[in-house]
Amino acid sequence: PPPLPVLPVPTAAQLRWQRREVIMFFHFGMNTFTDSEWGTGREDPAAFRPAALNATQWMDAAAAAGASLVILVAKHHDGFCLWPSAYTAHSVRASPWRGGRGDVVREFADAARARGLDVGLYLSPWDRHDERYGREVAYNEYYLAQLHELLTGYGSVSEIWFDGAKGKNAKNMTYHFQEWFQTVRQLQSSINIFSDDGPDVRWVGDENGSAGSTCWSTVNRSMITIGEAGIEKYLNTGDPRGKDWVPPECDVSIRPGWFWHNNETAKPLSKLLEIYYSSVGRNCVLLLNAPPNTTGLVDDADIAVLREFRAALTTIFGMDLAAGSTATASSERGGGGGFAASNVLDGRDDTYWVPASSDDGRRKEGAHVHEHWIELRRPPSTAGVPFNVVRIQEHVALGQRVEAHDVYVDGAAAVANATTVGHKRLHRLPAPVAGRTVRIRLASRRGPPLVSAVGLHLDPFAAGMM
Ligand code: IPT
């Protein structure tokens, strides 16, 4: 049978989220038209007038990036609502767009589903417009009522985003997060709730797409206060002793700002790839923002760079230079359960290598400590083909375990030496190497290491390769 889990473990919804790897964010709203990032809340709804909004075109951007989930900012800090909420006049209903009968949330959700993409929503707790803001009960009721509208009126919602950002007028405002979270669960049972503190997905602690090189999916939620400065480092690395499974999401914009500004342009491919390695390659999901412009479309140049990004990932990871290898390990669990080392080469997340139960990775053989390791031996035909990326994946469904590991090629000095693995760890080597054998030593772990994949790739976009 499979080994016992090492707690905590992800829920089914968290596992589905983790395997998405790249998802997309759309910041669009009043700020798009006022050329700002944080509106004051005093904007005239008449300013919201996209000339040719087409949410289907936004989905082209998501498809170009290979994202399977798209998250829309339904209300940002300026309080202007992109759907005709019954609880405020400050919404699309008061704008000239579609004669006041428009609903961006509806168009967004419909366009996403038509493309087979899942839907997520962002509703800013901080509100600089609403007069109830600052009156605790009144504002919390208002916010809850809007959650109700968004989570009952637009079909299934896969992720909801609670941004911890706030300004001075937030000082006297207490948000009833527990009431909000429980209401969300009641309305959408398989949703993932994002906030600094989860409960399902946590902020990674920065907005540059960079997780800690040690990155645990676990934290102690009691250590985190939403929106409080000083928690960033904890969020960035997680906590090996964490009792709560709350994996990190890296939110980053493809442009300098979250909203569209005429004088800004998208980051180049090289930057997006660097972000991919330091987010997805460090056990995170990457939430990439592409802001639609004042026309109500994503700039063609932005879609082009997203397409380039996905094409580059396909070039790098579409070919596995470990294919055809044989895999051996320090030991293998028997019993016919199918836990052989060769599982790391079958391209599946649900099969994995398990060491023998008698093997605790500390057994002494003479002077030698018999540590856990797994080794690929490449066939003669590919042994000379160089690679510069090593991919390692843990079977996190049974808990995140690896605390320290190294990678050796042909028994020489380690080419990589690191801490956590998690769902996916990508090591970029300083230069391409060729070699017959690649060994991963799992020097330290919480319980037996369960490795679901090891891959070798050539990244031609890496420095010095182009
Ligand atoms: C920042 C919030 O302070 C933080 O709580 C989190 O929600 C984060 O946004 C999400 O990106 S505010 C930002 C200006 C750093």
Side-chain angles (χ1 to χ4, degrees):
L4 284 173
V6 171
L7 298 179
V9 295
T11 63
Q14 287 173 319
L15 267 182
R16 264 199 307 281
W17 165 89
Q18 185 94 54
R19 290 173 181 161
R20 295 179 187 276
E21 297 195 349
V22 178
I23 60 179
M24 284 207 64
F25 221 172
F26 292 91
H27 275 70
F28 179 71
M30 192 55 85
N31 292 334
T32 312
F33 299 88
T34 57
D35 200 20
S36 67
E37 284 287 314
W38 281 3
T40 62
R42 290 187 300 272
E43 295 81 9
D44 182 349
F48 182 85
R49 47 188 326 145
L53 186 148
N54 176 5
T56 297
Q57 190 263 2
W58 305 6
M59 302 309 149
D60 294 343
S68 62
L69 165 65
V70 287
I71 303 179
L72 173 68
V73 173
K75 178 191 87 165
H76 204 249
H77 313 324
D78 58 77
F80 182 75
C81 299
L82 295 194
W83 79 104
S85 172
Y87 300 99
T88 179
H90 199 56
S91 81
V92 282
R93 209 199 291 270
S95 88
W97 178 66
R98 304 240 194 283
R101 284 179 300 278
D103 183 342
V104 184
V105 177
R106 174 84 56 218
E107 293 189 23
F108 181 85
D110 288 351
R113 296 210 178 91
R115 279 301 258 282
L117 304 174
D118 292 325
V119 172
L121 294 170
Y122 165 118
L123 182 67
S124 172
W126 183 31
D127 193 315
R128 303 179 85 180
H129 173 84
D130 198 82
E131 48 84 27
R132 283 159 287 199
Y133 195 83
R135 286 193 285 131
E136 185 173 329
V137 174
Y139 183 74
N140 275 282
E141 287 181 356
Y142 171 59
Y143 191 89
L144 259 179
Q146 293 206 318
L147 277 178
H148 247 276
E149 289 183 316
L150 293 174
L151 299 179
T152 59
Y154 298 91
S156 162
V157 177
S158 301
E159 182 164 334
I160 178 112
W161 237 78
F162 294 96
D163 193 336
K166 57 185 183 210
K168 285 198 197 69
N169 75 328
K171 263 216 293 290
N172 305 317
M173 186 65 221
T174 303
Y175 303 133
H176 288 216
F177 282 114
Q178 293 322 312
E179 286 83 343
W180 298 355
F181 293 168
Q182 292 198 35
T183 301
V184 168
R185 283 262 195 272
Q186 188 177 70
L187 301 176
Q188 296 272 344
S189 55
S190 62
I191 199 168
N192 284 312
I193 301 175
F194 171 103
S195 82
D196 293 352
D197 185 28
D200 301 311
V201 175
R202 75 175 193 262
W203 185 40
V204 76
D206 65 53
E207 296 182 339
N208 357 305
S210 183
S213 75
T214 295
C215 190
W216 292 96
S217 294
T218 49
V219 291
N220 282 315
R221 292 187 60 208
S222 57
M223 300 280 289
I224 305 167
T225 305
I226 300 175
E228 196 172 88
I231 53 171
E232 292 84 352
K233 177 82 180 91
Y234 188 74
L235 297 176
N236 204 238
T237 59
D239 186 342
R241 282 170 297 280
K243 299 269 184 292
D244 306 301
W245 187 272
V246 191
E249 184 166 280
C250 295
D251 60 318
V252 57
S253 183
I254 64 166
R255 286 162 161 251
W258 289 104
F259 287 87
W260 184 86
H261 306 289
N262 192 24
N263 59 346
E264 293 185 353
T265 55
K267 297 177 164 76
L269 172 65
S270 57
K271 183 67 194 167
L272 294 182
L273 284 176
E274 188 188 312
I275 288 171
Y276 181 84
Y277 283 108
S278 60
S279 58
V280 176
R282 291 181 180 167
N283 188 36
C284 296
V285 167
L286 171 57
L287 173 58
L288 209 47
N289 177 66
N293 59 26
T294 50
T295 306
L297 300 172
V298 178
D299 278 14
D300 288 339
D302 293 20
I303 296 186
V305 81
L306 292 170
R307 192 168 286 122
E308 257 187 279
F309 173 58
R310 178 50 60 181
L313 294 179
T314 304
T315 299
I316 301 165
F317 297 104
M319 163 109 96
D320 188 351
L321 298 166
S325 298
T326 50
T328 52
S330 42
S331 67
E332 289 176 347
R333 172 175 283 222
F339 303 110
S342 57
N343 286 346
V344 305
L345 293 166
D346 67 3
R348 292 171 54 171
D349 276 340
D350 57 340
T351 63
Y352 48 96
W353 161 63
V354 187
S357 27
S358 58
D359 174 10
D360 67 357
R362 287 180 193 92
R363 200 152 41 85
K364 278 215 161 116
E365 279 165 15
H368 187 72
V369 181
H370 180 88
E371 291 185 307
H372 289 310
W373 54 264
I374 183 159
E375 183 174 283
L376 305 185
R377 189 171 182 80
R378 304 168 83 200
S381 55
T382 59
V385 181
F387 56 89
N388 57 4
V389 176
V390 179
R391 173 174 52 92
I392 311 171
Q393 299 189 233
E394 254 185 281
H395 184 67
V396 291
L398 294 177
Q400 187 180 347
R401 300 163 179 234
V402 177
E403 295 170 321
H405 69 286
D406 329 272
V407 183
Y408 302 89
V409 179
D410 286 345
V415 295
N417 164 325
T419 52
T420 49
V421 174
H423 169 69
K424 183 172 280 189
R425 180 75 196 228
L426 298 172
H427 292 295
R428 273 196 295 182
L429 310 183
V433 291
R436 189 79 204 271
T437 65
V438 176
R439 177 185 286 224
I440 296 156
R441 185 171 70 105
L442 301 144
S444 157
R445 67 270 124 188
R446 303 165 63 239
L450 310 179
V451 180
S452 71
V454 178
L456 306 174
H457 305 278
L458 183 65
D459 178 348
F461 308 94
M465 291 287 298
M466 297 262 287

